[in-house]
Amino acid sequence: AASRNCYVLCVAATGEKRWATGLKSPVSEMLVADLTADGRLEVIAGLDDGRVCVLSGEGAVLAQFRTGGAIRSSRAGRSDRSR
């Protein structure tokens, strides 16, 4: 779950909070995808301050970059660079 109070939350099907990661900016967009094709899901969070952050399934920040503007929409796709 994304929140306007700057956190990405992982909640189990039972409603129990598994982890919360603070990102220091409101989360405006979020999606979940297996970006690395390793069978594990990553969380991609778009932030109001223009950053896109990639989190592991355990909530660790794996990567982030600035886009120059607030994130309002996002999509995940896979690029096969071997072709």
Side-chain angles (χ1 to χ4, degrees):
S3 71
R4 300 298 299 165
N5 69 352
C6 308
Y7 281 87
V8 173
L9 308 165
C10 178
V11 180
T14 61
E16 177 185 351
K17 182 174 81 172
R18 291 191 176 172
W19 53 261
T21 300
L23 297 175
K24 299 182 182 175
S25 178
V27 179
S28 55
E29 182 72 16
M30 190 180 74
L31 59 97
V32 177
D34 180 4
L35 297 176
T36 56
D38 63 358
R40 297 185 311 218
L41 296 173
E42 287 80 36
V43 178
I44 304 97
L47 309 178
D48 280 358
D49 69 3
R51 286 181 295 145
V52 173
C53 294
V54 179
L55 288 76
S56 71
E58 292 77 36
V61 176
L62 301 175
Q64 58 183 315
F65 62 91
R66 291 201 176 276
T67 65
I71 307 300
R72 296 292 177 236
S73 180
S74 58
R75 299 290 178 263
R78 187 167 171 193
S79 174
D80 185 353
R81 296 183 181 172
S82 66
R83 294 182 185 181

